[in-house]
Amino acid sequence: MDRDATHVSHTGGTITHLNIVAPERFDLLATCASHGWIVLPPCRFDMGRGVFHRTERLAGGQVVDLTVLQSGATELAVTIWAVFAPGIPDLQNIADRIRTMLRLDEDLSEFETLCEKDPRWRARVRPGGGRLLRSPTVFEDVVKTICTTNTTWAQTEQMTRRLVTQLGAPHPLGPERRAFPTPEAIAKFGEDRLRKEIRMGYRARYLAEIAVRLASGHLDLEALRSPTLTGDNVRQQLRELPGIGPYGAATVSMLLGHYDELAIDSELRSFVATHYYGDRPVTESEIHAVYAPWGKWQYLAYWFDSGSTET
DNA sequence: TTCCAGGGGTAGA
DNA sequence: TCTACCCATGGA
């Protein structure tokens, strides 16, 4: 938390305000529009008002609704809707999650300097660009990534929506707003119901196994945030998860801030073929050749090259 | 019907 | 390391 919070009580609940300091050149709209995750629950975005919404289940189990608005060049105004008065640990917990989701602590100055050298890229990377939206937990990013494999984006949305609607903890003042399900909730639900009710297909087995390993304490995905780990270290550990292959590992490691490897999927393959190889089929080495000059920033470079603001 | 979508696991060479 | 095949689901 960056400043003292204030809160007022009202019928049935409390509203607490919290200010968070953002880095220079931060742009909430650019960050929210940067990744398809913005349309997957529990994320919501009010484009007209520029307000980012999340429903979060805090460490103590209470569910809160959050709205984030950019109130100044380097200031974010957070409003917390709850049925209790959040204490200091709760506010710290909420601030940490927002900082993680919006990558407020990531140093992108080297990438920005590289973009500044080329007018083409300077125009492409909008002010505040580069901070790609992610989830507050590695678990949520892993689950959502598995939901993107070998399926359409529409089905990814449907699977995620059913997971949150059926398994997410509801907000006490509005049960239509739910947090992302915990590993415990998914483990308890079980593989069979994930397949039949969430319609995850063969992904049900992968998700059930990961949830059970997390819930039983045999797996700690948050440890992957350790700054001592390299991108290769992170991807190697992710590859040990069922359902996470080369694409999934590169996607999640990118979300963890390692941009040194491309996640090659049908989308990237198609983009590179169209824009660099006259629309003919391309090999992986031809794809790598396009972005290799960007070194440790190559995935981020691809992201802006493709103008990825997809939904 | 058949194909395939922001792939992954496995067997066999 | 590379290839072929299978895996659930649902839209075109």
Side-chain angles (χ1 to χ4, degrees), chain A residues 132-200:
Chain A
L132 308 188
L133 183 69
R134 61 181 169 183
S135 304
T137 67
V138 180
F139 173 64
E140 184 177 330
D141 278 335
V142 166
V143 171
K144 287 178 172 174
T145 297
I146 288 176
C147 288
T148 65
T149 60
N150 196 27
T151 189
T152 58
W153 181 254
Q155 289 197 72
T156 298
E157 284 191 74
Q158 290 301 321
M159 281 186 267
T160 307
R161 201 164 299 282
R162 284 189 288 261
L163 268 178
V164 173
T165 301
Q166 297 189 41
L167 296 173
H171 191 285
L173 294 180
E176 74 282 2
R177 298 192 297 277
R178 289 171 183 265
F180 193 80
T182 61
E184 290 75 13
I186 293 177
K188 187 179 174 189
F189 196 66
E191 176 187 337
D192 194 48
R193 296 182 68 188
L194 285 172
R195 188 186 309 273
K196 291 176 180 166
E197 297 177 35
I198 312 298
R199 298 184 189 178
M200 296 195 71

Side-chain angles (χ1 to χ4, degrees), chain A residues 26-33 45 50-52 68-70 76 102 128:
Chain A
F26 179 78
D27 188 283
L28 180 65
L29 178 61
T31 292
C32 289
F45 189 65
V51 177
F52 173 54
V68 183
L69 178 67
Q70 184 150 12
L76 301 175
L102 304 178

Side-chain angles (χ1 to χ4, degrees), chain A residues 25 106-118 121 125 129-131 259-260 293-298 300-301:
Chain A
R25 294 187 297 279
E106 197 163 303
D107 181 7
L108 296 172
S109 54
E110 187 181 323
F111 177 69
E112 289 167 352
T113 301
L114 286 174
C115 293
E116 284 295 323
K117 290 178 180 171
D118 184 336
W121 284 86
V125 180
R131 298 183 191 279
Y259 306 102
D260 54 321
W294 288 88
K296 62 184 279 196
W297 300 103
Q298 53 187 291
L300 210 45

Side-chain angles (χ1 to χ4, degrees), chain A residues 195-233:
Chain A
R195 188 186 309 273
K196 291 176 180 166
E197 297 177 35
I198 312 298
R199 298 184 189 178
M200 296 195 71
Y202 60 85
R203 301 169 194 81
R205 182 163 53 85
Y206 305 148
L207 179 51
E209 183 177 330
I210 292 170
V212 166
R213 286 170 61 184
L214 278 168
S216 65
H218 289 94
L219 178 65
D220 177 14
L221 288 176
E222 291 304 312
L224 292 174
R225 295 191 196 277
S226 167
T228 64
L229 295 176
T230 66
D232 284 335
N233 292 152

Side-chain angles (χ1 to χ4, degrees), chain A residues 220 223-224 229 232-241:
Chain A
D220 177 14
L224 292 174
L229 295 176
D232 284 335
N233 292 152
V234 168
R235 287 184 291 274
Q236 187 179 357
Q237 291 186 44
L238 286 166
R239 286 291 298 274
E240 292 173 8
L241 298 175

